[in-house]
C-alpha cells in the first residue's frame, strides 16, 4: 500500500479530481491548507493599508492506494496539476508496511519533477 499526499493550486483541484475519477480513484481526503515555498506570497492593500500575504491557499489531497495504482495516480496528478510556474506544489508518497517498522518515502517537486527524498526512514 502507498500513501500519496499532494499539495496543489486550488484552481487545479476540480481538474485533478476529475482526472483521478477517470482512472478509477473514488476516495481521497481533501484539506484546505496554507503555505509557501519559493513563491513567498505577495503584498496587498486593504482599506488603505498595505499588508503581506505570505501563506497562500493550497489544497492537500491524501489517499492510500494499492502499490499497483500509485505510479498512475502520481503521473495523473503531475499531468493535471502542473502549470510550469512557481507554486505548482509537491507530491510525496510513502510505502506502507505493516510489520517491518519502516516505510519508504519519496517526494517530487511538481514544476521540475525534481526528487526531494529517496531514503528509508522509520515509520511513525
Amino acid at each position: 500500500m502507498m500513501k500519496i499526499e499532494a499539495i496543489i493550486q486550488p484552481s487545479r483541484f476540480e481538474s485533478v479530481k476529475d482526472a483521478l475519477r477517470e482512472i478509477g480513484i473514488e476516495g481521497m481526503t481533501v484539506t484546505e491548507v496554507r503555505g509557501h515555498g519559493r513563491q513567498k506570497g505577495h503584498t496587498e492593500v486593504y482599506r488603505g493599508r498595505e499588508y503581506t500575504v505570505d501563506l497562500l491557499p493550497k489544497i492537500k489531497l491524501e489517499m492510500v492506494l494499492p502499490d499497483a495504482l500509485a505510479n498512475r495516480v502520481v503521473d495523473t496528478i503531475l499531468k493535471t496539476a502542473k502549470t510550469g510556474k512557481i507554486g505548482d506544489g509537491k507530491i510525496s508518497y510513502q510505502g506502507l508496511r505493516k510489520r517491518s517498522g519502516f516505510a519508504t518515502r519519496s517526494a517530487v517537486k511538481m514544476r521540475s519533477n525534481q526528487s526531494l527524498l529517496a531514503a528509508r526512514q522509520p515509520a511513525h
Side-chain angles (χ1 to χ4, degrees):
M1 298 293 283
M2 295 287 283
K3 179 178 183 183
I4 297 175
E5 294 181 3
I7 307 291
I8 63 172
Q9 293 283 353
S11 63
R12 306 302 301 156
F13 172 64
E14 288 299 323
S15 43
V16 169
K17 182 177 73 170
D18 293 343
L20 290 172
R21 278 196 179 142
E22 286 178 19
I23 65 167
I25 304 303
E26 294 294 329
M28 69 183 84
T29 300
V30 179
T31 311
E32 293 180 10
V33 296
R34 294 188 170 274
H36 73 82
R38 290 192 320 165
Q39 197 174 12
K40 294 193 177 88
H42 59 277
T43 303
E44 290 185 4
V45 176
Y46 180 71
R47 294 188 179 189
R49 297 190 73 177
E50 190 173 287
Y51 65 99
T52 302
V53 178
D54 57 355
L55 295 176
L56 302 172
K58 306 286 183 179
I59 299 290
K60 181 177 183 179
L61 306 174
E62 297 175 89
M63 56 203 91
V64 175
L65 307 163
D67 290 345
L69 285 175
N71 284 337
R72 191 168 178 201
V73 167
V74 169
D75 290 342
T76 299
I77 295 170
L78 280 171
K79 183 170 39 168
T80 311
K82 184 176 178 178
T83 67
K85 298 178 184 174
I86 292 175
D88 270 352
K90 293 187 175 50
I91 300 174
S92 63
Y93 43 100
Q94 173 180 349
L96 304 176
R97 297 198 178 104
K98 289 183 180 179
R99 296 189 179 163
S100 71
F102 281 89
T104 304
R105 298 173 190 234
S106 190
V108 176
K109 195 175 201 176
M110 261 192 237
R111 185 170 55 90
S112 63
N113 288 347
Q114 174 188 4
S115 179
L116 299 175
L117 304 172
R120 289 181 59 83
Q121 300 174 0
H124 298 284

